[in-house]
Amino acid sequence: MSINSFATLAAAALLASHGAQAQNADRKFDSVTERDGHLEVRTSDGSYLIKPYSAGIIETTFVPSGESTDPASHAVVLAPAAVKTTLKQKGGSIEYATPGLVVTITKSPFRIAYAYKGKPLVAEKRGYIRVKDDVATGSKDINKGAARELEAIEFALDKNEALYGAGSRAVGMDRRGHKFTLYNKAHYGYGDRSELMGYTMPIALSSKMYAIHFDNPQTGYLDFDSKKNNSLTYEAIGGRKTYQVIAGDSWEDVIGNYTSLTGKQPLPPRWAFGNFAMRFGYRNEQQARDTVNKFIADDIPLDAIVFDLYWFGKEVKGTMGNLAWDKDNFPHPEAMIADFRSKGVQTVVITEPFVVDTSQRWQEAVDKKVLATGPDGKPLAYDFFFGHTGLIDIFSKQGKDWYWDIYKSLRQQGVTGVWGDLGEPEVHPTELRHATGTADQLHNIYGHQWAGLVSEGYQRDFPNERPFILMRAGYSGTQRYGILPWSGDVNRGWDGLQSQPEISLQMGMQGLGYMHSDLGGFANPVLDDELYQRWLQYGVFQPVFRPHAQEEVPSEPVYREAKTKALAREAIRLRYRLLPYNYTLGFDNNQQGLPLMRPMLYEEPGNARVRAMSSTYLWGKDLLVTPVLKQGQKTADVYFPARSAWFDFYTGEKQAGGATRAIALTADHVPVYVRAGAFIPMSKVVQTTRDYNTRSIELHYWHDASVHAGAGKLYDDDGLTAQAYEQGKYELLSFSSTLQGKALSLRVVSEVGRQYQRPEREIALSVHNIGAAPASVRVDGKVAVFAWDAAGKLLTVQLPASAEASRAIDIAL
């Protein structure tokens, strides 16, 4: 279909779907000009600047009369491409079309509408307007003068579309009907519901498969039709009146386009996919050493130990900002870190952006002008839980340089991970001034800037290393800095567990593919072994496996009772067996922006029944996971997507797609199913990912007569080098299957980068759902020995070690 055909269809459909929705009645069309890769539409009260970035991304900015454009974006990194566009004027309307997105401007009454390849997406309702701030925000500091005027952009919604986005929340997958505050704020001890958390984002996604990103970090609101009048409204205290409309042919395209716009997530170090020892907190060196040694003695894999605030102070209060090892309790930190490294265990330490006036660095921070100031230009100190404090001004050169020097020194001591806590910032008075703006103007990008500080410091001083950055606050695009966000101080209860799949799924849809929870729950001293077991079993299939909690009840499995420890050990060992599959998910996230956890609507975008579903989700493309979220639960309702048959990962039992079924539960795992035709690469368990390699892998293929062609892959590199793929320091194994009659052919093809040596590799192949003994099996053209288990319908074949680029397995069924 031609661009003009798309435009004509789009215009007709938009008039039909939004015909009753007139834009701001006072706004009158004046003229239109196309120049320098954008369209300028002048109106009676300002100008619209419409700029395509690609066929799937268009940016619109409204500049009110008397104002000038602000070109600076904290989110966008993509440069606009040379997109082929057409401009058509037809009577009362103008069509500005790319090969995908089409903008229709109706002259009277004035309105702007968007479509994608003939499908209507969304239209401005009143567009840019000014409204009264009539909602209490999440912070009393930003609500002073609640009757102030806000700047807003209003859109018209279809009555049936579901909405997602607005950052990290727990209100249900379909978030339509809520008005969300855009002000990053921690929510201690939340359970199954939280409307405001540490990571708010000005983005809305629709079940119609488009997104609108409002490119302005200033505090405000995002109203998902709370007044039930089919409106989507973005409100802010000031700043840019800019938004991007993002669309695609699939949800994978939408997230790919959005993360191209705001930046792709770097692949984390491989040890980030392992198990963590963590609590609040290890109080001395001996306690930390004993914990690491106990993991090893109990044969439970471990890749990192994380130190909470006791590393720099004996007390919770009064020491924040010391940011140096407490030499009484940690007399030999560098030797301790080196000993951990020799065991394959990395060291991560907490840091916060606050410097209390009783800390060892207070005067230094004052003298070096590191701290944000009050209106008088002097460091502003104020009370919060940890003491009388100042806040590091990471928007100033002095603040950035001072803070990075501390991180650089820690890295030189052997610390390989940064944990940034309280980065909303947790307390951020309105009267505070930063080098580039006020607290309310910059609040939502403080965590974003902080992650950027660490990322850019690594690029400058440790350019070959991948940073590990664990933080609970950020903004649109923070994923490009390598952030691993977590969902904050969740209650240690079943209600806390119940909200976690939704939070991770939603954040993955918004570009933050590594959102995860403190496994077992963090807040409150609750000893519930069943809860702990089920949370860790879910954790196998969340992006980061990291138990963490207040110390009264241990978060580490090595300190739990025998049955709980055994079940936790099995969950952790499965996590390590899945390293080839999981690390490849990280590669796909890096290359395509794909979330690791994917909602069911990715699989069935046209199915209204799955729009609000988070109880079952996809881990990558091929594993279907249903966490156990209720105490004493005996069965779980599992929805099996219609496009495939599904096999129980543990038993091999087959389920047809397109139905919800009650599945009996067992204590040792949550329900996990594999897509028919899927390849799942696995490996033997190692004590630490340092010992992982792909010279010997297990390759599992789930055969089914309904699948005539299947595909999968495995990505590998050294697990440490920054931009290994771009440098050609990688191997990519591609798996494929073809079924013709009774002939099943499997292929393994290796692609290596220009600076990578293909290893000799042996493959233990398991082909599932083989109902009868094969007549023959050939490997690389030669008759091969095989085993067939009738009860398990399992065919196993050992492929001997080979450095060949291609391996062939031909099975006569």
Side-chain angles (χ1 to χ4, degrees):
M1 187 177 289
S2 71
I3 293 171
N4 288 340
S5 298
F6 280 139
T8 302
L9 279 174
L14 281 166
L15 287 171
S17 62
H18 297 294
Q21 307 282 4
Q23 201 159 315
N24 190 335
D26 296 328
R27 183 165 296 130
K28 308 296 183 186
F29 174 83
D30 181 27
S31 63
V32 62
T33 307
E34 185 178 16
R35 63 184 175 203
D36 301 328
H38 73 273
L39 191 72
E40 181 175 354
V41 181
R42 286 179 290 279
T43 68
S44 55
D45 59 345
S47 296
Y48 282 88
L49 306 178
I50 302 173
K51 177 171 62 177
Y53 280 77
S54 70
I57 307 169
I58 278 186
E59 177 179 279
T60 298
T61 299
F62 183 72
V63 184
S65 298
E67 296 187 17
S68 58
T69 58
D70 176 3
S73 170
H74 296 279
V76 172
V77 293
L78 182 68
V83 183
K84 182 180 179 182
T85 59
T86 60
L87 182 64
K88 286 180 59 178
Q89 300 202 39
K90 298 196 329 182
S93 68
I94 299 162
E95 294 169 3
Y96 186 53
T98 76
L101 281 164
V102 177
V103 186
T104 301
I105 301 118
T106 304
K107 295 180 180 179
S108 182
F110 183 83
R111 57 192 294 283
I112 293 182
Y114 301 86
Y116 181 76
K117 294 185 178 179
K119 182 180 73 172
L121 298 179
V122 71
E124 287 194 1
K125 193 172 187 178
R126 288 185 290 168
Y128 171 76
I129 52 176
R130 300 186 75 89
V131 297
K132 294 293 185 183
D133 181 0
D134 59 353
V135 178
T137 68
S139 165
K140 61 182 176 60
D141 292 319
I142 71 163
N143 196 40
K144 292 175 180 176
R148 67 186 169 182
E149 208 171 40
L150 300 175
E151 296 185 290
I153 307 173
E154 184 184 65
F155 290 84
L157 295 170
D158 284 352
K159 63 180 181 180
N160 295 322
E161 62 186 300
L163 295 178
Y164 314 92
S168 181
R169 321 270 179 175
V171 297
M173 276 297 283
D174 182 356
R175 295 180 169 180
R176 187 165 180 167
H178 295 272
K179 183 169 185 176
F180 296 114
T181 300
L182 296 173
Y183 187 90
N184 292 350
K185 187 173 179 62
H187 185 172
Y188 176 83
Y190 71 93
D192 58 1
R193 187 173 183 83
S194 179
E195 294 198 14
L196 183 62
M197 300 173 67
Y199 209 123
T200 67
M201 293 171 67
I203 183 171
L205 299 100
S206 164
S207 56
K208 293 171 63 177
M209 227 152 61
Y210 70 85
I212 304 176
H213 174 250
F214 298 95
D215 195 357
N216 177 12
Q218 297 198 27
T219 56
Y221 308 97
L222 194 51
D223 190 336
F224 283 5
D225 195 27
S226 66
K227 295 180 175 138
K228 310 298 183 185
N229 63 353
N230 298 324
S231 297
L232 166 68
T233 310
Y234 168 75
E235 303 171 1
I237 60 173
R240 308 177 83 211
K241 276 68 74 174
T242 296
Y243 62 87
Q244 294 92 24
V245 176
I246 302 134
D249 297 324
S250 65
W251 276 108
E252 290 83 356
D253 286 345
V254 174
I255 189 63
N257 287 337
Y258 172 73
T259 52
S260 292
L261 180 73
T262 59
K264 295 287 195 292
Q265 172 109 19
L267 185 58
R270 183 152 42 224
W271 58 265
F273 293 84
N275 178 36
F276 290 69
M278 187 171 178
R279 70 165 71 164
F280 181 21
Y282 300 111
R283 292 173 179 262
N284 56 61
E285 183 176 319
Q286 192 59 51
Q287 194 176 56
R289 288 180 177 273
D290 289 347
T291 299
V292 170
N293 290 337
K294 190 158 180 55
F295 272 92
I296 296 170
D298 288 348
D299 193 28
I300 298 178
L302 181 68
D303 262 274
I305 183 168
V306 185
F307 289 88
D308 212 313
L309 48 74
Y310 295 116
W311 76 273
F312 57 70
K314 298 176 182 63
E315 305 295 334
V316 171
K317 296 184 179 182
T319 60
M320 191 166 287
N322 282 348
L323 296 174
W325 292 95
D326 174 16
K327 288 304 180 73
D328 292 332
N329 287 329
F330 296 91
H332 309 292
E334 292 187 36
M336 176 189 71
I337 293 166
D339 286 349
F340 290 159
R341 189 187 306 112
S342 72
K343 297 171 182 177
V345 177
Q346 308 296 320
T347 299
V348 182
V349 299
I350 195 172
T351 56
E352 299 92 353
F354 297 95
V355 183
V356 299
D357 62 7
T358 52
S359 73
Q360 297 165 6
R361 293 188 189 262
W362 169 258
Q363 196 56 49
E364 174 190 344
V366 171
D367 293 343
K368 293 186 176 181
K369 302 187 184 305
V370 165
L371 304 174
T373 67
D376 61 2
K378 297 178 181 178
L380 180 67
Y382 50 92
D383 291 327
F384 85 139
F385 178 80
F386 297 94
H388 195 62
T389 192
L391 178 69
I392 298 170
D393 187 0
I394 57 173
F395 298 93
S396 73
K397 186 178 187 306
Q398 299 97 312
K400 285 192 289 188
D401 290 349
W402 183 83
Y403 213 3
W404 172 247
D405 284 345
I406 291 171
Y407 286 125
K408 184 176 179 179
S409 174
L410 287 168
R411 179 63 195 92
Q412 290 166 340
Q413 294 171 36
V415 172
T416 48
V418 170
W419 175 14
D421 200 9
L422 315 184
E424 292 79 19
E426 186 156 293
V427 181
H428 201 192
T430 289
E431 58 268 28
L432 205 70
R433 299 292 184 269
H434 293 282
T436 58
T438 68
D440 287 354
Q441 290 171 337
L442 301 175
H443 177 83
N444 288 333
I445 53 170
Y446 191 95
H448 179 77
Q449 189 86 356
W450 187 9
L453 181 158
V454 177
S455 173
E456 291 160 6
Y458 264 80
Q459 291 172 24
R460 184 175 58 251
D461 292 330
F462 309 105
N464 295 322
E465 297 185 25
R466 303 178 195 176
F468 175 94
I469 305 173
L470 178 69
M471 290 187 178
R472 76 180 189 195
Y475 177 64
S476 312
T478 309
Q479 72 274 355
R480 67 177 178 262
Y481 297 130
I483 187 176
L484 306 179
W486 92 98
S487 59
D489 296 340
V490 59
N491 182 44
R492 188 159 20 186
W494 289 93
D495 59 344
L497 172 58
Q498 286 157 14
S499 58
Q500 297 312 306
E502 174 201 340
I503 293 170
S504 289
L505 290 167
Q506 288 269 355
M507 290 293 276
M509 293 176 71
Q510 300 169 73
L512 279 298
Y514 289 89
M515 173 57 86
H516 66 285
S517 62
D518 289 340
L519 296 180
F522 174 83
N524 302 312
V526 176
L527 178 60
D528 184 331
D529 290 328
E530 183 190 2
L531 171 68
Y532 182 83
Q533 295 158 15
R534 291 307 195 188
W535 210 320
L536 266 64
Q537 289 166 359
Y538 156 65
V540 175
F541 306 99
Q542 75 159 18
V544 179
F545 194 98
R546 190 183 54 78
H548 179 48
Q550 294 168 339
E551 63 186 336
E552 294 88 347
V553 176
S555 56
E556 309 94 334
V558 295
Y559 296 121
R560 303 299 289 250
E561 56 86 26
K563 178 186 174 185
T564 300
K565 182 199 290 190
L567 288 171
R569 177 178 179 272
E570 288 310 303
I572 294 165
R573 289 173 66 83
L574 176 58
R575 176 80 177 188
Y576 277 72
R577 286 192 67 207
L578 286 168
L579 265 170
Y581 181 81
N582 292 351
Y583 195 62
T584 304
L585 296 186
F587 174 70
D588 286 342
N589 173 262
N590 166 245
Q591 293 294 304
Q592 303 171 60
L594 291 173
L596 286 74
M597 288 174 64
R598 302 172 195 175
M600 206 57 63
L601 63 95
Y602 267 47
E603 180 75 6
E604 297 184 347
N607 185 353
R609 293 185 302 158
V610 304
R611 288 180 181 175
M613 182 180 290
S614 61
S615 56
T616 296
Y617 63 89
L618 288 163
W619 177 241
K621 178 176 176 286
D622 291 322
L623 293 179
L624 187 74
V625 180
T626 303
V628 177
L629 303 177
K630 295 180 180 178
Q631 186 173 26
Q633 191 173 337
K634 302 301 182 187
T635 63
D637 289 337
V638 178
Y639 176 71
F640 296 95
R643 291 193 296 176
S644 301
W646 299 87
F647 293 93
D648 189 308
F649 179 79
Y650 300 94
T651 69
E653 182 183 9
K654 181 179 175 180
Q655 299 282 352
T660 299
R661 297 184 183 89
I663 301 299
L665 299 175
T666 63
D668 58 343
H669 63 265
V670 299
V672 180
Y673 287 82
V674 188
R675 184 192 303 273
F679 288 90
I680 306 294
M682 299 174 69
S683 65
K684 294 176 181 176
V685 176
V686 289
Q687 180 61 34
T688 161
T689 60
R690 178 199 61 187
D691 301 330
Y692 168 86
N693 65 70
T694 61
R695 293 191 297 273
S696 176
I697 64 169
E698 301 172 17
L699 182 60
H700 294 259
Y701 176 69
W702 272 264
H703 164 70
D704 191 66
S706 66
V707 179
H708 296 282
K713 63 187 171 188
L714 183 159
Y715 173 79
D716 194 26
D717 57 26
D718 67 5
L720 295 170
T721 301
Q723 294 190 305
Y725 180 72
E726 288 76 11
Q727 294 183 52
K729 299 177 179 179
Y730 72 91
E731 182 180 21
L732 187 61
L733 293 178
S734 296
F735 312 124
S736 62
S737 71
T738 56
L739 178 64
Q740 294 181 326
K742 290 184 173 292
L744 175 62
S745 298
L746 308 179
R747 297 292 182 266
V748 179
V749 178
S750 167
E751 170 198 315
V752 293
R754 63 186 181 278
Q755 297 191 60
Y756 198 87
Q757 180 66 45
R758 180 182 299 109
E760 277 203 349
R761 174 177 294 110
E762 61 180 14
I763 300 174
L765 175 66
S766 296
V767 184
H768 300 255
N769 194 39
I770 300 295
S776 68
V777 176
R778 290 179 176 270
V779 174
D780 299 330
K782 298 178 181 178
V783 174
V785 176
F786 64 87
W788 176 69
D789 176 2
K793 298 182 180 181
L794 181 66
L795 169 67
T796 54
V797 185
Q798 186 68 37
L799 278 64
S802 171
E804 292 298 318
S806 180
R807 310 295 302 272
I809 306 95
D810 295 296
I811 304 165
L813 298 173

